[in-house]
Amino acid sequence: MANRAVSASEVNAVLSELLRTPLLPGVRKVAGGCEDPTVARVGFMAVPDIGPWLRRGQLLITTPETLARVTEPFNAFVGRLSTRGVAALAVQFSADGDTLAPELVDAADSADFPLLVFHGACDHPAARDREQTESAQIDAMFGAERLRRLLVDVVMGGGGLPQLTEVIAREMKGAALVTTSDGREICRAGDAAERKHLSACPAVDSTGRLRTDTVEGGLGLHEFDGQFISVSAISANHIDHGRLALFTGERVMTSYDQYLVERAESVCALVITREQAVASVEERHRANFVHDLLLGRAGDHDHVVSHAKTFGWDFDRPLVIVSIEPDPVDEPASAAPARLPVVDRQAMAFSGAIAHRDPGAAVTALTGETVIVMGVGTDTMALVRDLVTVVRGEGGGGRRPFSVGVSRPTAAIEAVPALYSQARTALTVGRRISGPWTVTQFDDLGVYRLLSLVEDENELETFARETLRELTEETAEAQDMRKTLEVLLATNINIAETARKLHFHYNTLRYRVVKLEKMLGPFTAQPELRLDLSLALKITAMRGINH
């Protein structure tokens, strides 16, 4: 709407060639542009918030009066143009002089972004729709201001995100969706038909999560067989707080709608930061109480139960402790806005997931982990896995992997510190054995529980290496023979069954048994040696030897 993709005969030329046409009379370059980019289209900037109309390969023409209304720092403004693939920015002066703000020139030089100035009218077929384009941008600006005023009235009346979403859906005639930065739904609004279409949209995965890590659910305006979705980031204080998405299945959306969505997200950001400011104070008290509870210094049973009720938690029942910790990953540096700390994001996710499943549960972000104190159900582990499925989604959206440890149940508040220790042990050992995204219950650890109590890790590793000998080497053959030994021990040295499980010929496996006994000793005839080997294999798995 604000941009017309012109034909190859009109533009589709490198910038230096285009500058020799009447499009930009008397043009000169004042900053940036060591390379000679290809220009595929011409766009015009009549309002300071130009985001929805930016296109790759675009020569963007504006005036000094419009640039004077830009509210963001010029380095951010130029950076946005460069990131979106804009070929160059040309500033049209109508009077004598062509002086630009030094900050703009410096920003263009720093980004090596072509910055041009010229005088006079554009005389070129690519500029024939300029008046219509700029008029549409101005109309969009007034429309956005009307929507913003409606949303601000909601905020001033004490409304939150659900009320804002309702207004956005009603005014823009679609289904509105507010999510976290990784696409997890916070609230949605709109008529039943639009909401049903949204659930089947390719921008939403099978768990109902907006695909923020794919093209379909990425920022901007997308079309899917006549259905449209517009996505904008909700950011404030240089922190990415989430996404605002508008979906329509009954009408065509244009860059005008994208402009409105981007303006509406700023009001959503205001509400989110307001709620976070209030919640941070409350969360500090909740976290301190849970921290004291896990250390056994929160008081007696009656005091703990009474104090928990002030936070809406029900601790007067059998409880389990769940510990969730982000798995270590290498995160490359990103130019995108910063996000909330990963533990805070995961705590928010689990809090939302458990809200209607166990309203009396406590979900708290502590240093480095999220802790859930929840009631014991008919199948507690099924509930925990359900929560993990909801929070994890399909694993996309930039979601950090995490591991989970679950304690035994208890009806005694005094036993909570011991339960917390169990949950941490289950998490740590489970992750060492199975890697990231592991959900482990303390009772499922078996002998690993005992091994985890040994504080001297060097002694355990020494025992494993002395017992397994060559099998601890970092070779494919050692790993293969170690696998054979594991299955042999699991089948109680049943050669035929082991051969079937490993898909070996019977004689091949007998040969392997002879070879293993030459390495390790006569384990087929010595139960004590088999026990040592079993323990050594578990230590190898738990401590990550050769992993």
Side-chain angles (χ1 to χ4, degrees):
M1 171 183 139
N3 237 322
R4 187 171 60 83
V6 296
S7 68
S9 61
E10 291 175 310
V11 180
N12 197 25
V14 295
L15 182 61
S16 60
E17 294 176 357
L18 189 62
L19 299 186
R20 291 193 288 270
T21 71
L23 177 62
L24 307 177
V27 67
R28 69 183 182 88
K29 184 168 67 174
V30 296
C34 292
E35 297 184 359
D36 198 9
T38 298
V39 177
R41 51 178 60 81
V42 174
F44 302 97
M45 175 180 168
V47 296
D49 298 318
I50 192 67
W53 296 292
L54 296 178
R55 298 291 184 270
R56 183 165 294 279
Q58 178 186 63
L59 170 63
L60 186 63
I61 300 175
T62 189
T63 65
E65 292 78 17
T66 301
L67 286 176
R69 299 187 183 101
V70 173
T71 57
E72 63 184 331
F74 278 125
N75 59 348
F77 171 69
V78 172
R80 187 151 56 97
L81 300 185
S82 180
T83 301
R84 294 289 292 273
V86 173
L89 176 66
V91 185
Q92 179 185 22
F93 286 82
S94 58
D96 293 338
D98 53 11
T99 302
L100 294 174
E103 296 83 2
L104 176 60
V105 177
D106 291 343
D109 271 330
S110 178
D112 193 25
F113 179 78
L115 179 61
L116 317 171
V117 296
F118 70 100
H119 293 82
C122 303
D123 183 17
H124 193 279
R128 67 167 67 101
D129 294 333
R130 178 173 184 175
E131 184 176 343
Q132 177 185 349
T133 295
E134 293 183 339
S135 176
Q137 288 185 8
I138 293 171
D139 288 344
M141 182 177 65
F142 282 111
E145 178 60 19
R146 175 184 175 277
L147 178 62
R148 189 191 69 83
R149 287 181 179 277
L150 289 173
L151 297 178
V152 169
D153 286 344
V154 171
V155 176
M156 296 300 290
L161 289 177
Q163 291 74 30
L164 290 180
T165 310
E166 291 283 354
V167 173
I168 294 169
R170 183 186 71 239
E171 293 294 320
M172 299 191 68
K173 298 178 176 58
L177 175 67
V178 175
T179 77
T180 60
S181 56
D182 61 356
R184 181 171 35 81
E185 180 179 327
I186 297 175
C187 57
R188 72 168 64 189
D191 63 50
E194 293 282 26
R195 294 172 67 171
K196 182 178 180 180
H197 286 311
L198 174 59
S199 298
C201 177
V204 177
D205 72 18
S206 60
T207 68
R209 193 185 289 271
L210 183 67
R211 298 179 186 271
T212 58
D213 59 334
T214 66
V215 172
E216 293 84 357
L219 301 180
L221 180 62
H222 312 285
E223 180 184 0
F224 310 103
D225 297 327
Q227 298 179 336
F228 296 81
I229 188 167
S230 172
V231 183
S232 179
I234 301 174
S235 59
N237 300 324
H238 306 291
I239 295 177
D240 184 358
H241 292 286
R243 299 290 181 270
L244 171 62
L246 179 73
F247 175 87
T248 62
E250 304 296 330
R251 69 176 183 87
V252 174
M253 278 204 288
T254 67
S255 53
Y256 172 80
D257 296 278
Q258 178 68 18
Y259 187 80
L260 295 183
V261 170
E262 291 191 0
R263 301 291 76 74
E265 66 83 8
S266 62
V267 183
C268 293
L270 177 65
V271 171
I272 288 177
T273 53
R274 181 191 68 183
E275 293 177 350
Q276 285 181 347
V278 174
S280 64
V281 178
E282 298 176 349
E283 179 59 27
R284 193 174 304 116
H285 291 296
R286 290 193 292 264
N288 288 340
F289 173 62
V290 170
H291 184 256
D292 287 343
L293 177 66
L294 300 179
L295 295 180
R297 60 190 190 196
D300 59 28
H301 183 279
D302 291 341
H303 175 76
V304 169
V305 169
S306 175
H307 196 59
K309 283 183 179 179
T310 64
F311 297 123
W313 301 336
D314 180 10
F315 287 180
D316 194 17
R317 55 178 175 161
L319 302 170
V320 296
I321 306 296
V322 182
S323 176
I324 303 110
E325 184 178 82
D327 291 317
V329 296
D330 293 328
E331 288 190 312
S334 173
R339 303 167 73 184
L340 291 173
V342 62
V343 172
D344 291 337
R345 301 200 309 267
Q346 290 178 349
M348 291 170 60
F350 276 98
S351 181
I354 204 173
H356 69 278
R357 294 171 173 83
D358 184 357
V363 182
T364 309
L366 301 179
T367 304
E369 66 174 323
T370 297
V371 172
I372 303 177
V373 184
M374 58 186 285
V376 177
T378 54
D379 192 341
T380 302
M381 286 305 296
L383 174 56
V384 171
R385 291 192 174 92
D386 182 35
L387 296 175
V388 170
T389 298
V390 171
V391 173
R392 180 181 179 181
E394 292 185 347
R399 285 177 289 286
R400 277 280 299 272
F402 55 83
S403 295
V404 180
V406 185
S407 74
R408 289 173 169 172
T410 185
I413 291 295
E414 297 77 13
V416 166
L419 264 63
Y420 174 61
S421 178
Q422 293 171 6
R424 291 297 307 167
T425 297
L427 185 154
T428 303
V429 175
R431 180 161 56 195
R432 284 175 173 171
I433 296 170
S434 305
W437 294 116
T438 301
V439 180
T440 310
Q441 188 176 27
F442 182 73
D443 280 340
D444 292 338
L445 291 179
V447 71
Y448 290 114
R449 285 166 45 196
L450 298 177
L451 294 175
S452 67
L453 297 176
V454 179
E455 296 182 358
D456 190 344
E457 295 189 9
N458 292 331
E459 182 60 33
L460 285 175
E461 293 190 11
T462 299
F463 172 81
R465 294 185 187 280
E466 290 178 351
T467 304
L468 294 175
R469 302 177 188 176
E470 296 99 313
L471 296 191
T472 61
E473 294 178 358
E474 297 181 13
T475 64
E477 181 183 4
Q479 293 177 1
D480 187 35
M481 294 298 286
R482 194 162 64 239
K483 176 64 176 177
T484 301
L485 177 62
E486 288 175 357
V487 179
L488 274 169
L489 295 173
T491 61
N492 198 25
I493 318 300
N494 186 317
I495 305 296
E497 184 179 354
T498 302
R500 283 195 300 272
K501 288 188 173 183
L502 294 176
H503 306 290
F504 287 157
H505 189 276
Y506 183 85
N507 290 336
T508 301
L509 186 60
R510 289 193 62 85
Y511 168 77
R512 287 197 167 211
V513 171
V514 172
K515 187 174 181 180
L516 284 169
E517 290 202 308
K518 287 181 179 178
M519 294 181 187
L520 309 173
F523 62 88
T524 58
Q526 295 182 6
E528 295 83 1
L529 180 54
R530 292 201 294 274
L531 176 60
D532 288 348
L533 292 171
S534 295
L535 289 174
L537 288 171
K538 292 187 182 300
I539 293 170
T540 300
M542 185 177 74
R543 298 298 181 185
I545 301 174
N546 292 330
H547 286 189

